[in-house]
Amino acid sequence: GVDPFDIFNSFFGGGMGGQPRRKKTQDVMHKLAVPLEDLYLGATKKLALNRHIADSNGRVTKKKEVLEVRIERGMEDGKKIIFKEKADEMPGAITGDVILVVSEVKHSRFKRHGPHLTMEKEILLRDALCGFKFVFNHLDQRKVLVQSPKGVVTDPGSWIVVQGEGMPIKGNQFNKGNLFIRLNVKFPRPSDLPPETFKELGRLLPHSPPVPEDEDADEHTGTRISDEDIVRQLQHGQRGGRTGSQGEGV
């Protein structure tokens, strides 16, 4: 049968008021690789694009344009940043958008889970039995000192949680997620252990390098956390949406 809309368009030029419907040029999508440090601290990046520009006479020329991209603290992997009408121009057409998709670069130490971070740390058996203390550089190069509670024995593969040392929470600059650390215990070789009693192990096992005292270091006491609790917190952190963008949300 005949589509009544086809008849309508033939009389009125394909749009309301006799005006033809304007087409839109194709949106341009780019993947933007962002280190985890920039997602932690925030950053500004510049992206150079070659695009076609149409003048008032209908002529199209190629032009290089530099976009300033703001990476907000706590921005998530997969986030879309939209620059309206920054794609190629064509005479008589609506200009499409440039869409940047944040791609988080894999980090050598930390893994991100929404607002939380995880990492692994190897400790000696002596430290597992008698107490551990270690320092690491965070994503902002702060020195963070973590130690075990007094009198607590660390099981191999157990987790500790360091409150407030995860990723910044977008929209709330004062709050951060948590840092979960998996402790891997390095056992000595049989030749390292003389046949003495358990009470003597603390004296006989190899010592870890001393931790330098630094008044500027943020000091924490790591607390035990069960596998169930860490899974629950990580899953809860991943439920947050990835909406919003620079200028306009998606």
Side-chain angles (χ1 to χ4, degrees):
V2 178
D3 190 335
F5 288 101
D6 290 340
I7 299 176
F8 182 87
N9 290 337
S10 66
F11 280 99
F12 295 102
M16 295 299 293
Q19 296 296 323
R21 183 176 300 169
R22 296 174 64 194
K23 295 183 179 180
K24 182 180 179 181
T25 62
Q26 186 174 3
D27 291 339
V28 177
M29 186 171 292
H30 289 280
K31 184 170 73 171
L32 183 66
V34 183
L36 190 58
E37 289 87 347
D38 288 347
L39 295 173
Y40 185 90
L41 290 168
T44 299
K45 295 182 174 293
K46 295 186 182 298
L47 180 67
L49 295 177
N50 290 318
R51 55 190 297 246
H52 293 95
I53 304 295
D55 61 20
S56 58
N57 296 320
R59 292 176 298 185
V60 178
T61 57
K62 184 174 287 188
K63 177 184 176 182
K64 182 178 181 179
E65 187 164 345
V66 178
L67 301 179
E68 188 171 278
V69 185
R70 189 176 71 253
I71 306 298
E72 298 177 358
R73 297 175 72 246
M75 187 175 281
E76 294 188 349
D77 182 42
K79 171 76 171 296
K80 292 181 179 179
I81 303 173
I82 299 176
F83 289 87
K84 298 290 291 182
E85 298 185 1
K86 287 296 183 179
D88 288 334
E89 296 180 356
M90 291 294 291
I94 300 172
T95 306
D97 305 328
V98 171
I99 304 173
L100 304 180
V101 182
V102 172
S103 178
E104 180 184 302
V105 177
K106 184 178 180 181
H107 196 270
S108 59
R109 172 178 292 151
F110 300 103
K111 292 183 179 179
R112 184 182 183 183
H113 307 266
H116 303 304
L117 291 171
T118 61
M119 61 172 281
E120 295 193 14
K121 175 65 179 176
E122 185 177 81
I123 63 175
L124 300 178
L125 178 58
R126 182 187 185 281
D127 298 332
L129 297 174
C130 303
F132 62 80
K133 179 188 289 188
F134 58 86
V135 170
F136 65 90
N137 289 338
H138 213 311
L139 291 166
D140 55 359
Q141 296 305 307
R142 273 184 306 116
K143 294 183 183 299
V144 179
L145 186 149
V146 181
Q147 59 186 352
S148 58
K150 293 182 179 180
V152 174
V153 174
T154 301
D155 296 328
S158 60
W159 291 87
I160 58 174
V161 57
V162 182
Q163 300 286 341
E165 288 293 354
M167 292 293 294
I169 297 176
K170 188 174 178 294
N172 191 333
Q173 59 179 338
F174 300 106
N175 286 343
K176 295 180 183 177
N178 295 329
L179 170 63
F180 302 95
I181 305 176
R182 183 180 178 88
L183 298 172
N184 299 317
V185 179
K186 182 179 180 180
F187 285 83
R189 298 176 181 178
S191 59
D192 296 331
L193 293 173
E196 299 186 10
T197 63
F198 180 81
K199 292 182 179 180
E200 296 175 314
L201 287 175
R203 178 176 60 86
L204 298 172
L205 291 176
H207 288 248
S208 60
V211 176
E213 297 295 332
D214 191 336
E215 294 182 355
D216 295 329
D218 293 338
E219 186 171 335
H220 294 274
T221 298
T223 56
R224 288 288 302 273
I225 183 170
S226 67
D227 292 344
E228 292 78 12
D229 283 342
I230 189 172
V231 169
R232 176 179 56 80
Q233 290 198 38
L234 294 179
Q235 289 177 342
H236 179 75
Q238 289 177 325
R239 291 173 187 160
R242 298 179 178 178
T243 58
S245 67
Q246 183 172 310
E248 180 173 331
V250 175

